[in-house]
């Protein structure tokens, strides 16, 4: 398969290969051999659910072969990370964080990159000279469950641009565009200066797009800002923040919106763009 990737035509397979490569480099898969009984139990139950669906709906050979063809294309397009993060991760996140008392989180998604440029107290995320959209200033605090400000916490932020593209996954964007890390001040406070992201459509030209089209679904996620908050002795929080009134807050393709994650941007007091406050409360490490 040949593909041409230009500044104006990012492809699903280019973004997908990048997400696959990044996952492999992330170390997330390291250090766990899932015990045999657990593999057997989970694999059996997933397969039982598939058998039940086939019997209930009398799935035909033609449908079976359409599925086989589609599953092959998910791998070819490098879209397993996208598929899993859009349609499966939200339930894993729900189960993994069910006993937290601090801030709600949500899924990470496929486009996190560690090591974004960091600054103390205030971070102005890299943007192009002509970056489209509305300027956005976000102020907040990171605190522990007792309400004490956490100094030296890191808030890693990443989001799409006003055209719905993520740097390092779409061609032609500066490496760290709209990605950055802010380290909290002594009182746990931070400020992030960025641009308001737009609603985001997952890539439609790959296998995930094929499923969406074949099922008559839509490919949209509401506009969102991704964040990872870390502090010594505290559990890391992964979240996304959303904007009120977005047409897709109620039907996010990735099922990752929660009411606690809603922002409240207002016109900036200084007159340019918007500003908002959003704080985080971290749970201690177990
Ligand atoms: C995204 O930007 C995203 O956040 C998720 C969860 C899936 C695909 C693209
Ligand atoms: Fe995203």
């Amino acid at each position: 398969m040949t593909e041409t990737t230009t500044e104006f035509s990012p492809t699903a397979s280019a973004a997908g290969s990048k997400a696959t490569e990044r996952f492999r480099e992330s170390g997330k898969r390291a250090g766990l051999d899932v015990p045999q009984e657990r593999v057997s139990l989970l694999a059996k139950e997933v397969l039982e659910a598939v058998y039940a669906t086939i019997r209930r709906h009398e799935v035909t050979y033609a449908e079976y072969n359409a599925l086989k063809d589609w599953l092959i294309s998910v791998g070819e397009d490098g879209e397993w990370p996208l598929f899993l993060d859009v349609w499966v991760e939200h339930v894993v996140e729900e189960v993994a964080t069910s006993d937290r008392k601090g801030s709600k989180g949500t899924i990470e998604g496929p486009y996190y990159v560690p090591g974004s440029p960091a600054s103390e107290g205030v971070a102005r995320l890299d943007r192009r000279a002509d970056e489209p959209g509305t300027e956005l200033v976000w102020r907040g605090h990171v605190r522990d469950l007792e309400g004490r400000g956490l100094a030296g916490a890191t808030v890693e932020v990443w989001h799409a641009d006003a055209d719905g593209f993520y740097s390092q996954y779409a061609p032609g964007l500066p490496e760290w565009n709209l990605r950055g890390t802010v380290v909290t001040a002594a009182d746990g406070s931070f400020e992030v200066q960025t641009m308001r992201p737009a609603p985001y459509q997952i890539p439609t030209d790959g296998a995930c797009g094929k499923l969406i089209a074949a099922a008559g679904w839509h490919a949209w996620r509401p506009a969102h800002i991704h964040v990872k908050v870390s502090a010594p002795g505290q559990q890391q929080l992964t979240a996304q923040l959303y904007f009120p009134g977005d047409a897709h807050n109620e039907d996010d393709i990735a099922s990752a919106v929660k009411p606690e994650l809603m922002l409240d941007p207002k016109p900036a007091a200084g007159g340019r763009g918007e500003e908002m406050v959003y704080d985080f409360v971290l749970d201690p490490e177990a």
Side-chain angles (χ1 to χ4, degrees), residues 81-82 85-86 89 107-111 158 160 164 166 200-203 221 224 226 240 242 252-254 256:
L82 181 66
D85 295 352
V86 166
E89 189 187 355
I107 65 174
E108 177 176 317
Y111 301 146
W158 72 102
Y166 282 86
Y200 174 87
Q201 215 176 359
I202 72 163
R221 300 212 59 223
H224 58 279
H226 291 269
Q240 299 180 33
Y242 302 94
D252 177 13
I253 186 71

